[in-house]
């Protein structure tokens, strides 16, 4: 996280909110993602808040897992729709720290981002799938 501390934030005039869904949409081993529940909400947010820029930054494996679960056509239509909004940017960079540094908030269901985004000192909404997960899956820090 030292690299994050050294990133100089860009000047911007609009708020940027990260949308960061996890890839574990259909796995029993690590059943954390609730993307299938909230995918429509992610499509509504840019319409509801046109004054905010949203950065759609899914886990690198989400598209692959969606294709296996929903098929190519439905998955590609979703990705095309979300990035069609003028206030949405699709970010699939390997290095996410600059995106973190320049964002204003995050909405996500990714466990590791919970710890990493704390270093930005910015608001974060973790979308918990099941309240029992707090005791069953997360470490005390989580």
């Amino acid at each position: 996280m030292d690299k994050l501390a050294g990133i100089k934030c860009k000047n911007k005039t609009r708020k940027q909110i990260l949308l960061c869904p996890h890839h574990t949409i259909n796995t029993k081993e690590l059943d954390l993602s609730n993307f299938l529940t909230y995918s429509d909400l992610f499509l509504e947010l840019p319409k509801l808040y046109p004054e905010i820029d949203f950065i759609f930054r899914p886990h690198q494996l989400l598209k692959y897992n969606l294709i296996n679960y929903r098929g190519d056509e439905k998955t590609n239509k979703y990705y095309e729709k979300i990035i069609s909004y003028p206030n949405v940017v699709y970010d699939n960079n390997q290095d996410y720290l600059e995106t973190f540094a320049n964002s204003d908030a995050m909405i996500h269901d990714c466990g590791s981002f919970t710890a990493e985004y704390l270093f930005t000192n910015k608001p974060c909404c973790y979308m918990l799938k099941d309240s029992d997960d707090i005791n069953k899956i997360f470490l005390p820090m989580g």
Side-chain angles (χ1 to χ4, degrees), residues 19-23 35 55-63 66 79 89-93 113:
L19 303 174
C20 301
H22 202 250
H23 70 93
F35 177 75
I55 300 171
F56 182 61
R57 196 193 188 309
H59 188 284
Q60 299 281 338
L61 292 174
L62 179 63
K63 190 170 188 179
L66 279 172
Y79 273 68
V89 172
Y90 174 49
D91 178 11
N92 63 351
N93 273 329
F113 279 5

Side-chain angles (χ1 to χ4, degrees), residues 106-118:
M106 181 194 297
I107 301 170
H108 72 105
D109 60 358
C110 180
S112 63
F113 279 5
T114 302
E116 293 167 325
Y117 202 71
L118 283 174

Side-chain angles (χ1 to χ4, degrees), residues 60-113:
Q60 299 281 338
L61 292 174
L62 179 63
K63 190 170 188 179
Y64 171 81
N65 289 338
L66 279 172
I67 288 170
N68 287 329
Y69 184 73
R70 289 183 165 172
D72 273 330
E73 186 177 341
K74 195 169 182 180
T75 300
N76 289 333
K77 278 185 181 179
Y78 183 87
Y79 273 68
E80 288 167 12
K81 183 163 184 165
I82 198 163
I83 62 174
S84 72
Y85 294 106
N87 59 330
V88 174
V89 172
Y90 174 49
D91 178 11
N92 63 351
N93 273 329
Q94 292 262 344
D95 186 0
Y96 52 87
L97 294 179
E98 188 166 327
T99 305
F100 275 22
N102 286 291
S103 68
D104 294 292
M106 181 194 297
I107 301 170
H108 72 105
D109 60 358
C110 180
S112 63
F113 279 5

